[in-house]
Amino acid sequence: MQYPYIVENGMLLMDKAGLSWVPALSREAGPLYLAIADALAADIAAGGLKEGTRLPPQRALAGVLGIDFTTVSRAYNEARTRGLIEGRVGQGTYVKARRKNGGRSSGGGLVDMSMNLPPLFDDPKLIARMWGGIDALEDERGLDLLMRYQAVGGSLPDKTAGAAWLRPRLGEVAAERVLVCPGAQGALLATVSMLAARGDVICAEALTYPGLRSLAAHLGIGFAAVAVDEQGLLPEAFEAACVKHRPKALYCNPTLHNPTTATLSLKRREAVVAIARRHGVAIIEDDAYGALPTNPAPPLAALAPDLVYYVAGLAKCLSPALRIAYLVVPDAVSSVRLEGAIRATAGMASPLSAAVATRWVEDGTADAVLAAIRAEAGRRQRIAAEILPADRVLTNPEAFHLWLTLPAGWTRGEFTARLRTAGISIVTSDAFALANPPEAVRLGLGAAETRHELERSLAVIADLLVQSPAAVNFVV
């Protein structure tokens, strides 16, 4: 919209040329310069301000808004830091070209609910803030960020940011105990290869992370499956496995377990730690979803920091694209050995990704993104609760996946194949089971691009659950 105002010599005049943009501001929403930058971000994201649009001169906008020139100048600087606008010498200030948001590909119509991705949120200001933080790295870190190797376990600023990010869960952790790794898979590969050798055995929940199964097979390491129930790992089963197999480590996912979303109680966590101490077994705690609960139980690493190797990836709670995980180790000796393992298996985490994570943690963007993911996950859980039969679902309202047990007559293979013909992809229990897969599947609620797409997919699944396999199969 064009605003027919212009300022000359401090006087507010009417003019046919007008101003290209004037923000709608609430003076009760924090500092005015941030409100102006936020309004600019929102209007750009909504398409109201097109790329290449020339923005009003700062003094003209200040006059229209009735505020100090320095406030508008500060707002423009903030918007420039976020990567929203650019100055052209002798020409003025312009909206930068927007990145194209193609959304999540549906693969020709397929809704891939097998992928356990954090749900997309609809917050133009926050999206602009995320991209702005990335653009700001050019001014803050310069060419060194792009053209230099960095420390294997991460720079001190990146380690410090990791410790700050984990503080709500672990309390105060010395930055020296934090290693920056190339994703959770990279952290697990380094840790498992350090703790166990070919032919050794590690314990894991009977339903466990497929990535762990892959890397263990690659390393020639065997598994001792630990039985689970709806509340997670059974401590008595873990102790029996320690006696029988003398494992080198226990791998577990005690908070919003993948795939069942079970969360260990504090009592069980304390029991697991006590058993591990008694048998001299290290613990690898994969806390991929640990940031999602608003009132989480203390991680095992908080109960036994000298015993636990704590892996906290950013893929599920911040951004899958960063491929960054923080690995908190028990002591300095472990840190040195793990740096060697990281160097041997991956070289180092991407300094650029680590710098983005650090920027987002330091300026509060990470907390805002986490809050947005939590809110959208809650909305999608409510949709699932309205559509799917409660007696078939095991989930947690703070997770964005669920575990669906199949009614009698259905096998997981038949059910999955039938959904695939309807354009929906899910993952069966075979991907997680160390032995005897149950007739169950995991659904990722975050993979659908929109809530409407999720509703349609879950409606198809719910309809299939009440049908007989014979009624939907047609073979000639």
Side-chain angles (χ1 to χ4, degrees), residues 353-424:
S353 291
V356 173
T358 295
R359 166 79 185 192
W360 286 354
V361 169
E362 290 177 344
D363 70 8
T365 300
D367 288 330
V369 172
L370 175 58
I373 291 173
R374 283 172 172 168
E376 183 62 26
R379 296 184 190 102
R380 297 191 178 210
Q381 281 285 354
R382 289 191 288 275
I383 291 171
E386 292 174 358
I387 296 174
L388 297 177
D391 62 336
R392 291 286 163 198
V393 172
L394 180 61
T395 192
N396 183 294
E398 294 184 299
F400 46 76
H401 67 280
L402 59 82
W403 189 238
L404 183 69
T405 59
L406 302 181
W410 280 108
T411 67
R412 57 197 183 275
E414 285 181 296
F415 193 77
T416 303
R418 181 58 186 154
L419 284 179
R420 191 176 296 114
T421 65
I424 299 170

Side-chain angles (χ1 to χ4, degrees), residues 311-334:
V311 179
L314 298 182
K316 308 303 183 184
C317 58
L318 190 53
S319 169
L322 292 182
R323 307 305 306 151
I324 290 294
Y326 300 120
L327 171 58
V328 181
V329 300
D331 50 46
V333 173
S334 300

Side-chain angles (χ1 to χ4, degrees), residues 128-144:
R129 182 177 174 183
M130 293 170 75
W131 282 114
I134 294 172
D135 285 340
L137 292 174
E138 179 182 1
D139 294 330
E140 292 180 0
R141 305 284 290 272
L143 194 58
D144 276 357

